[in-house]
Amino acid sequence: MKLIAPSILSADGGRLGLEISAVEKAGADWIHVDVMDGHFVPNITMGPAIIAALRKTTRLPFDVHLMIKNPDNYIEAFATAGADYITVHVEAARHLHRTVELIKKAGKKAGVSLNPATPLSSIEEILPDIDLLLIMSVNPGFGGQQFIKNALTKIKRASSMLAQLPQKPLLEVDGGITLSNISAIAQAGADVLVAGAAVFGTDNYSQTIAALKAAANKT
Ligand code: DX5
Ligand code: ZN
């Protein structure tokens, strides 16, 4: 079963709690939370205080995607705020193994993410230690961008790399996912599909999430 993780980056920022409850009711599996610092990416979003407040609005897992420099300094704060998965960028972590260990020591699932131009070879040595691999299919920073087509072959290659590991980390894809490309992305091997604009840009979340799920689970 493929999982749908709506990204609240595209939700109505003035009603985040209500938006989260609405997508939970509509059948979302995870809540994807994009944290941006204005340094690693050219945009700024939310920090641990907002996440802690939102934690009370849903029982769904919080999938926290850190697009920040020096992630080690903030792992504890995001863990305490209620993150379930904490994903860091390989391009932002100077000692990635230490960062992954910090996440696990905080009792959370550890994810590692790659920008579109970063090769899979850069995470080969950390694969045995992670719970999730996040492949970016847009350059991180903004919602509503177009899916980069070359990401599809990268997803397929990543999927076969992960299949060889005993702990079978989840493969997540983030950026530009729509109703028209979600089947191809799921068939390429993605387990978790992040969708921002494709969910929050519509007015019937139940219908949209049901359609995305059906397309993702079509074999
Ligand atoms: C981009 C974020 C994504 C974004 C996806 O930097 O990591 O999670 O919200 O949005 P869509 O699905 O609109 O491309
Ligand atoms: Zn994201």
Side-chain angles (χ1 to χ4, degrees), residues 64-101:
V64 176
H65 177 192
L66 297 183
M67 286 159 277
I68 63 174
K69 282 193 172 171
N70 304 318
D72 293 21
N73 298 348
Y74 304 95
I75 300 301
E76 192 54 51
F78 284 105
T80 308
D84 295 283
Y85 281 80
I86 299 180
T87 296
V88 297
H89 269 263
V90 57
E91 305 86 358
R94 198 180 290 272
H95 301 289
L96 186 59
H97 183 269
R98 177 180 293 147
T99 313
V100 165
E101 288 302 304

mmCIF file of all heavy atoms in Angstrom, residues 64-101:
data_model
loop_
_atom_site.group_PDB
_atom_site.id
_atom_site.type_symbol
_atom_site.label_atom_id
_atom_site.label_comp_id
_atom_site.label_asym_id
_atom_site.label_seq_id
_atom_site.Cartn_x
_atom_site.Cartn_y
_atom_site.Cartn_z
ATOM 1 N N VAL A 64 8.852 15.117 9.058
ATOM 2 C CA VAL A 64 9.469 16.453 9.065
ATOM 3 C C VAL A 64 10.694 16.480 8.160
ATOM 4 O O VAL A 64 11.664 15.749 8.371
ATOM 5 C CB VAL A 64 9.810 16.878 10.509
ATOM 6 C CG1 VAL A 64 10.541 18.211 10.524
ATOM 7 C CG2 VAL A 64 8.524 16.970 11.349
ATOM 8 N N HIS A 65 10.606 17.302 7.130
ATOM 9 C CA HIS A 65 11.635 17.409 6.091
ATOM 10 C C HIS A 65 12.445 18.681 6.363
ATOM 11 O O HIS A 65 11.969 19.789 6.126
ATOM 12 C CB HIS A 65 10.913 17.478 4.725
ATOM 13 C CG HIS A 65 11.812 17.656 3.557
ATOM 14 N ND1 HIS A 65 11.330 17.982 2.295
ATOM 15 C CD2 HIS A 65 13.161 17.560 3.425
ATOM 16 C CE1 HIS A 65 12.338 18.069 1.455
ATOM 17 N NE2 HIS A 65 13.466 17.831 2.111
ATOM 18 N N LEU A 66 13.655 18.479 6.905
ATOM 19 C CA LEU A 66 14.487 19.628 7.278
ATOM 20 C C LEU A 66 15.325 20.104 6.094
ATOM 21 O O LEU A 66 16.251 19.413 5.665
ATOM 22 C CB LEU A 66 15.416 19.255 8.441
ATOM 23 C CG LEU A 66 14.770 18.877 9.769
ATOM 24 C CD1 LEU A 66 15.850 18.617 10.824
ATOM 25 C CD2 LEU A 66 13.815 19.971 10.251
ATOM 26 N N MET A 67 15.001 21.280 5.588
ATOM 27 C CA MET A 67 15.813 21.912 4.543
ATOM 28 C C MET A 67 16.560 23.060 5.211
ATOM 29 O O MET A 67 16.267 24.236 4.999
ATOM 30 C CB MET A 67 14.902 22.388 3.407
ATOM 31 C CG MET A 67 14.389 21.238 2.551
ATOM 32 S SD MET A 67 12.905 21.646 1.629
ATOM 33 C CE MET A 67 11.676 21.337 2.908
ATOM 34 N N ILE A 68 17.457 22.655 6.119
ATOM 35 C CA ILE A 68 18.179 23.640 6.925
ATOM 36 C C ILE A 68 19.660 23.293 7.010
ATOM 37 O O ILE A 68 20.036 22.119 6.922
ATOM 38 C CB ILE A 68 17.590 23.729 8.367
ATOM 39 C CG1 ILE A 68 17.751 22.402 9.130
ATOM 40 C CG2 ILE A 68 16.117 24.121 8.328
ATOM 41 C CD1 ILE A 68 17.317 22.466 10.597
ATOM 42 N N LYS A 69 20.476 24.333 7.179
ATOM 43 C CA LYS A 69 21.902 24.124 7.438
ATOM 44 C C LYS A 69 22.087 23.696 8.896
ATOM 45 O O LYS A 69 21.241 23.989 9.734
ATOM 46 C CB LYS A 69 22.665 25.430 7.198
ATOM 47 C CG LYS A 69 22.898 25.712 5.725
ATOM 48 C CD LYS A 69 23.916 26.819 5.562
ATOM 49 C CE LYS A 69 24.308 26.978 4.112
ATOM 50 N NZ LYS A 69 25.126 28.186 3.910
ATOM 51 N N ASN A 70 23.186 23.080 9.207
ATOM 52 C CA ASN A 70 23.513 22.641 10.573
ATOM 53 C C ASN A 70 22.364 21.910 11.262
ATOM 54 O O ASN A 70 21.942 22.283 12.363
ATOM 55 C CB ASN A 70 23.909 23.855 11.445
ATOM 56 C CG ASN A 70 25.062 24.622 10.831
ATOM 57 O OD1 ASN A 70 26.017 24.012 10.334
ATOM 58 N ND2 ASN A 70 24.968 25.936 10.810
ATOM 59 N N PRO A 71 21.820 20.876 10.629
ATOM 60 C CA PRO A 71 20.654 20.202 11.219
ATOM 61 C C PRO A 71 20.912 19.644 12.621
ATOM 62 O O PRO A 71 19.988 19.602 13.438
ATOM 63 C CB PRO A 71 20.347 19.074 10.213
ATOM 64 C CG PRO A 71 21.595 18.890 9.422
ATOM 65 C CD PRO A 71 22.256 20.226 9.382
ATOM 66 N N ASP A 72 22.169 19.271 12.921
ATOM 67 C CA ASP A 72 22.461 18.663 14.241
ATOM 68 C C ASP A 72 21.979 19.541 15.400
ATOM 69 O O ASP A 72 21.544 19.034 16.431
ATOM 70 C CB ASP A 72 23.977 18.441 14.423
ATOM 71 C CG ASP A 72 24.518 17.382 13.469
ATOM 72 O OD1 ASP A 72 23.855 17.124 12.443
ATOM 73 O OD2 ASP A 72 25.596 16.836 13.740
ATOM 74 N N ASN A 73 22.064 20.846 15.207
ATOM 75 C CA ASN A 73 21.701 21.770 16.287
ATOM 76 C C ASN A 73 20.210 21.754 16.612
ATOM 77 O O ASN A 73 19.806 22.307 17.636
ATOM 78 C CB ASN A 73 22.062 23.217 15.903
ATOM 79 C CG ASN A 73 23.550 23.376 15.690
ATOM 80 O OD1 ASN A 73 24.319 22.482 16.034
ATOM 81 N ND2 ASN A 73 23.961 24.487 15.095
ATOM 82 N N TYR A 74 19.392 21.172 15.735
ATOM 83 C CA TYR A 74 17.939 21.284 15.901
ATOM 84 C C TYR A 74 17.214 19.950 16.021
ATOM 85 O O TYR A 74 15.998 19.926 16.182
ATOM 86 C CB TYR A 74 17.344 22.089 14.728
ATOM 87 C CG TYR A 74 17.986 23.448 14.597
ATOM 88 C CD1 TYR A 74 19.048 23.650 13.725
ATOM 89 C CD2 TYR A 74 17.559 24.507 15.392
ATOM 90 C CE1 TYR A 74 19.671 24.888 13.626
ATOM 91 C CE2 TYR A 74 18.168 25.741 15.302
ATOM 92 C CZ TYR A 74 19.225 25.926 14.420
ATOM 93 O OH TYR A 74 19.823 27.144 14.338
ATOM 94 N N ILE A 75 17.952 18.845 15.926
ATOM 95 C CA ILE A 75 17.300 17.522 15.947
ATOM 96 C C ILE A 75 16.487 17.335 17.237
ATOM 97 O O ILE A 75 15.317 16.944 17.196
ATOM 98 C CB ILE A 75 18.343 16.371 15.821
ATOM 99 C CG1 ILE A 75 19.120 16.476 14.505
ATOM 100 C CG2 ILE A 75 17.676 15.005 15.984
ATOM 101 C CD1 ILE A 75 18.328 16.422 13.247
ATOM 102 N N GLU A 76 17.094 17.638 18.360
ATOM 103 C CA GLU A 76 16.430 17.455 19.651
ATOM 104 C C GLU A 76 15.126 18.273 19.701
ATOM 105 O O GLU A 76 14.087 17.778 20.134
ATOM 106 C CB GLU A 76 17.397 17.889 20.772
ATOM 107 C CG GLU A 76 16.953 17.489 22.167
ATOM 108 C CD GLU A 76 16.658 15.995 22.311
ATOM 109 O OE1 GLU A 76 17.524 15.186 21.908
ATOM 110 O OE2 GLU A 76 15.563 15.650 22.820
ATOM 111 N N ALA A 77 15.190 19.506 19.242
ATOM 112 C CA ALA A 77 14.005 20.384 19.290
ATOM 113 C C ALA A 77 12.871 19.833 18.421
ATOM 114 O O ALA A 77 11.703 19.847 18.830
ATOM 115 C CB ALA A 77 14.384 21.786 18.838
ATOM 116 N N PHE A 78 13.203 19.315 17.238
ATOM 117 C CA PHE A 78 12.139 18.774 16.373
ATOM 118 C C PHE A 78 11.619 17.452 16.923
ATOM 119 O O PHE A 78 10.430 17.140 16.784
ATOM 120 C CB PHE A 78 12.622 18.637 14.925
ATOM 121 C CG PHE A 78 12.679 19.971 14.227
ATOM 122 C CD1 PHE A 78 13.892 20.597 13.986
ATOM 123 C CD2 PHE A 78 11.506 20.620 13.843
ATOM 124 C CE1 PHE A 78 13.944 21.840 13.369
ATOM 125 C CE2 PHE A 78 11.544 21.861 13.221
ATOM 126 C CZ PHE A 78 12.769 22.478 12.989
ATOM 127 N N ALA A 79 12.493 16.682 17.574
ATOM 128 C CA ALA A 79 12.051 15.426 18.185
ATOM 129 C C ALA A 79 11.064 15.742 19.310
ATOM 130 O O ALA A 79 9.981 15.151 19.392
ATOM 131 C CB ALA A 79 13.250 14.650 18.707
ATOM 132 N N THR A 80 11.411 16.694 20.159
ATOM 133 C CA THR A 80 10.539 17.078 21.276
ATOM 134 C C THR A 80 9.223 17.667 20.766
ATOM 135 O O THR A 80 8.170 17.485 21.379
ATOM 136 C CB THR A 80 11.267 18.105 22.174
ATOM 137 O OG1 THR A 80 12.537 17.556 22.505
ATOM 138 C CG2 THR A 80 10.501 18.418 23.439
ATOM 139 N N ALA A 81 9.275 18.351 19.646
ATOM 140 C CA ALA A 81 8.065 18.977 19.090
ATOM 141 C C ALA A 81 7.060 17.942 18.598
ATOM 142 O O ALA A 81 5.885 18.250 18.406
ATOM 143 C CB ALA A 81 8.444 19.915 17.945
ATOM 144 N N GLY A 82 7.533 16.693 18.370
ATOM 145 C CA GLY A 82 6.590 15.649 17.974
ATOM 146 C C GLY A 82 6.784 15.082 16.585
ATOM 147 O O GLY A 82 5.874 14.440 16.048
ATOM 148 N N ALA A 83 7.965 15.291 15.996
ATOM 149 C CA ALA A 83 8.238 14.676 14.695
ATOM 150 C C ALA A 83 8.312 13.164 14.861
ATOM 151 O O ALA A 83 8.764 12.683 15.904
ATOM 152 C CB ALA A 83 9.571 15.188 14.161
ATOM 153 N N ASP A 84 7.850 12.416 13.871
ATOM 154 C CA ASP A 84 8.001 10.956 13.892
ATOM 155 C C ASP A 84 9.168 10.543 13.000
ATOM 156 O O ASP A 84 10.006 9.750 13.400
ATOM 157 C CB ASP A 84 6.701 10.300 13.424
ATOM 158 C CG ASP A 84 5.575 10.579 14.398
ATOM 159 O OD1 ASP A 84 5.538 9.937 15.447
ATOM 160 O OD2 ASP A 84 4.762 11.495 14.149
ATOM 161 N N TYR A 85 9.192 11.085 11.790
ATOM 162 C CA TYR A 85 10.327 10.928 10.890
ATOM 163 C C TYR A 85 11.039 12.281 10.824
ATOM 164 O O TYR A 85 10.377 13.318 10.691
ATOM 165 C CB TYR A 85 9.860 10.562 9.479
ATOM 166 C CG TYR A 85 9.485 9.097 9.333
ATOM 167 C CD1 TYR A 85 8.241 8.630 9.759
ATOM 168 C CD2 TYR A 85 10.371 8.183 8.765
ATOM 169 C CE1 TYR A 85 7.900 7.286 9.637
ATOM 170 C CE2 TYR A 85 10.034 6.836 8.639
ATOM 171 C CZ TYR A 85 8.801 6.399 9.075
ATOM 172 O OH TYR A 85 8.471 5.078 8.956
ATOM 173 N N ILE A 86 12.358 12.249 10.913
ATOM 174 C CA ILE A 86 13.139 13.481 10.713
ATOM 175 C C ILE A 86 14.098 13.208 9.561
ATOM 176 O O ILE A 86 14.924 12.290 9.628
ATOM 177 C CB ILE A 86 13.900 13.894 11.985
ATOM 178 C CG1 ILE A 86 12.920 14.168 13.144
ATOM 179 C CG2 ILE A 86 14.760 15.140 11.702
ATOM 180 C CD1 ILE A 86 13.582 14.592 14.457
ATOM 181 N N THR A 87 13.947 13.997 8.502
ATOM 182 C CA THR A 87 14.761 13.801 7.304
ATOM 183 C C THR A 87 15.677 14.998 7.102
ATOM 184 O O THR A 87 15.223 16.141 7.134
ATOM 185 C CB THR A 87 13.840 13.597 6.079
ATOM 186 O OG1 THR A 87 13.099 12.390 6.285
ATOM 187 C CG2 THR A 87 14.638 13.479 4.786
ATOM 188 N N VAL A 88 16.955 14.699 6.896
ATOM 189 C CA VAL A 88 17.932 15.763 6.667
ATOM 190 C C VAL A 88 18.514 15.624 5.265
ATOM 191 O O VAL A 88 18.501 14.539 4.686
ATOM 192 C CB VAL A 88 19.088 15.711 7.702
ATOM 193 C CG1 VAL A 88 18.563 15.957 9.104
ATOM 194 C CG2 VAL A 88 19.841 14.381 7.638
ATOM 195 N N HIS A 89 19.018 16.728 4.744
ATOM 196 C CA HIS A 89 19.637 16.696 3.415
ATOM 197 C C HIS A 89 21.102 16.318 3.508
ATOM 198 O O HIS A 89 21.844 16.872 4.340
ATOM 199 C CB HIS A 89 19.483 18.060 2.734
ATOM 200 C CG HIS A 89 18.239 18.127 1.924
ATOM 201 N ND1 HIS A 89 18.229 17.908 0.571
ATOM 202 C CD2 HIS A 89 16.960 18.327 2.297
ATOM 203 C CE1 HIS A 89 16.981 17.989 0.127
ATOM 204 N NE2 HIS A 89 16.192 18.249 1.157
ATOM 205 N N VAL A 90 21.516 15.411 2.623
ATOM 206 C CA VAL A 90 22.919 15.014 2.578
ATOM 207 C C VAL A 90 23.801 16.234 2.268
ATOM 208 O O VAL A 90 24.916 16.339 2.775
ATOM 209 C CB VAL A 90 23.139 13.850 1.573
ATOM 210 C CG1 VAL A 90 22.680 14.193 0.177
ATOM 211 C CG2 VAL A 90 24.586 13.424 1.544
ATOM 212 N N GLU A 91 23.255 17.197 1.508
ATOM 213 C CA GLU A 91 24.042 18.376 1.119
ATOM 214 C C GLU A 91 24.231 19.333 2.302
ATOM 215 O O GLU A 91 25.044 20.259 2.232
ATOM 216 C CB GLU A 91 23.346 19.141 -0.017
ATOM 217 C CG GLU A 91 23.031 18.309 -1.263
ATOM 218 C CD GLU A 91 21.695 17.572 -1.161
ATOM 219 O OE1 GLU A 91 21.029 17.673 -0.113
ATOM 220 O OE2 GLU A 91 21.339 16.876 -2.128
ATOM 221 N N ALA A 92 23.429 19.155 3.368
ATOM 222 C CA ALA A 92 23.470 20.109 4.481
ATOM 223 C C ALA A 92 24.126 19.533 5.727
ATOM 224 O O ALA A 92 24.417 20.276 6.664
ATOM 225 C CB ALA A 92 22.047 20.560 4.833
ATOM 226 N N ALA A 93 24.336 18.206 5.735
ATOM 227 C CA ALA A 93 24.893 17.573 6.937
ATOM 228 C C ALA A 93 26.375 17.294 6.712
ATOM 229 O O ALA A 93 26.740 16.530 5.821
ATOM 230 C CB ALA A 93 24.136 16.289 7.245
ATOM 231 N N ARG A 94 27.221 17.908 7.515
ATOM 232 C CA ARG A 94 28.669 17.756 7.323
ATOM 233 C C ARG A 94 29.132 16.347 7.724
ATOM 234 O O ARG A 94 29.996 15.765 7.087
ATOM 235 C CB ARG A 94 29.410 18.809 8.145
ATOM 236 C CG ARG A 94 30.826 19.035 7.700
ATOM 237 C CD ARG A 94 31.486 20.083 8.553
ATOM 238 N NE ARG A 94 30.947 21.415 8.308
ATOM 239 C CZ ARG A 94 31.412 22.244 7.371
ATOM 240 N NH1 ARG A 94 32.391 21.857 6.605
ATOM 241 N NH2 ARG A 94 30.898 23.433 7.236
ATOM 242 N N HIS A 95 28.513 15.829 8.783
ATOM 243 C CA HIS A 95 28.846 14.471 9.226
ATOM 244 C C HIS A 95 27.529 13.706 9.303
ATOM 245 O O HIS A 95 26.914 13.586 10.363
ATOM 246 C CB HIS A 95 29.534 14.509 10.592
ATOM 247 C CG HIS A 95 30.791 15.324 10.583
ATOM 248 N ND1 HIS A 95 31.934 14.918 9.944
ATOM 249 C CD2 HIS A 95 31.060 16.548 11.080
ATOM 250 C CE1 HIS A 95 32.866 15.849 10.072
ATOM 251 N NE2 HIS A 95 32.355 16.847 10.756
ATOM 252 N N LEU A 96 27.122 13.235 8.143
ATOM 253 C CA LEU A 96 25.780 12.654 8.005
ATOM 254 C C LEU A 96 25.530 11.497 8.967
ATOM 255 O O LEU A 96 24.438 11.373 9.520
ATOM 256 C CB LEU A 96 25.568 12.220 6.548
ATOM 257 C CG LEU A 96 24.176 11.720 6.189
ATOM 258 C CD1 LEU A 96 23.120 12.780 6.444
ATOM 259 C CD2 LEU A 96 24.124 11.284 4.715
ATOM 260 N N HIS A 97 26.537 10.653 9.161
ATOM 261 C CA HIS A 97 26.351 9.513 10.052
ATOM 262 C C HIS A 97 26.028 9.979 11.473
ATOM 263 O O HIS A 97 25.147 9.441 12.141
ATOM 264 C CB HIS A 97 27.598 8.611 10.043
ATOM 265 C CG HIS A 97 27.441 7.397 10.893
ATOM 266 N ND1 HIS A 97 27.819 7.369 12.220
ATOM 267 C CD2 HIS A 97 26.895 6.180 10.634
ATOM 268 C CE1 HIS A 97 27.538 6.180 12.720
ATOM 269 N NE2 HIS A 97 26.985 5.437 11.782
ATOM 270 N N ARG A 98 26.730 11.032 11.915
ATOM 271 C CA ARG A 98 26.470 11.565 13.262
ATOM 272 C C ARG A 98 25.030 12.103 13.344
ATOM 273 O O ARG A 98 24.328 11.875 14.330
ATOM 274 C CB ARG A 98 27.472 12.681 13.566
ATOM 275 C CG ARG A 98 27.230 13.338 14.913
ATOM 276 C CD ARG A 98 28.225 14.440 15.183
ATOM 277 N NE ARG A 98 29.567 13.923 15.352
ATOM 278 C CZ ARG A 98 30.684 14.567 14.996
ATOM 279 N NH1 ARG A 98 30.612 15.759 14.465
ATOM 280 N NH2 ARG A 98 31.865 14.021 15.203
ATOM 281 N N THR A 99 24.605 12.783 12.304
ATOM 282 C CA THR A 99 23.251 13.354 12.291
ATOM 283 C C THR A 99 22.199 12.246 12.374
ATOM 284 O O THR A 99 21.237 12.342 13.134
ATOM 285 C CB THR A 99 23.045 14.190 11.008
ATOM 286 O OG1 THR A 99 24.180 15.036 10.845
ATOM 287 C CG2 THR A 99 21.791 15.020 11.069
ATOM 288 N N VAL A 100 22.404 11.189 11.583
ATOM 289 C CA VAL A 100 21.466 10.067 11.582
ATOM 290 C C VAL A 100 21.427 9.410 12.973
ATOM 291 O O VAL A 100 20.359 9.076 13.492
ATOM 292 C CB VAL A 100 21.857 9.053 10.462
ATOM 293 C CG1 VAL A 100 21.171 7.714 10.652
ATOM 294 C CG2 VAL A 100 21.531 9.644 9.090
ATOM 295 N N GLU A 101 22.587 9.283 13.583
ATOM 296 C CA GLU A 101 22.643 8.708 14.936
ATOM 297 C C GLU A 101 21.889 9.587 15.935
ATOM 298 O O GLU A 101 21.199 9.101 16.824
ATOM 299 C CB GLU A 101 24.093 8.523 15.395
ATOM 300 C CG GLU A 101 24.812 7.379 14.686
ATOM 301 C CD GLU A 101 24.106 6.037 14.861
ATOM 302 O OE1 GLU A 101 23.878 5.633 16.012
ATOM 303 O OE2 GLU A 101 23.763 5.401 13.840
#
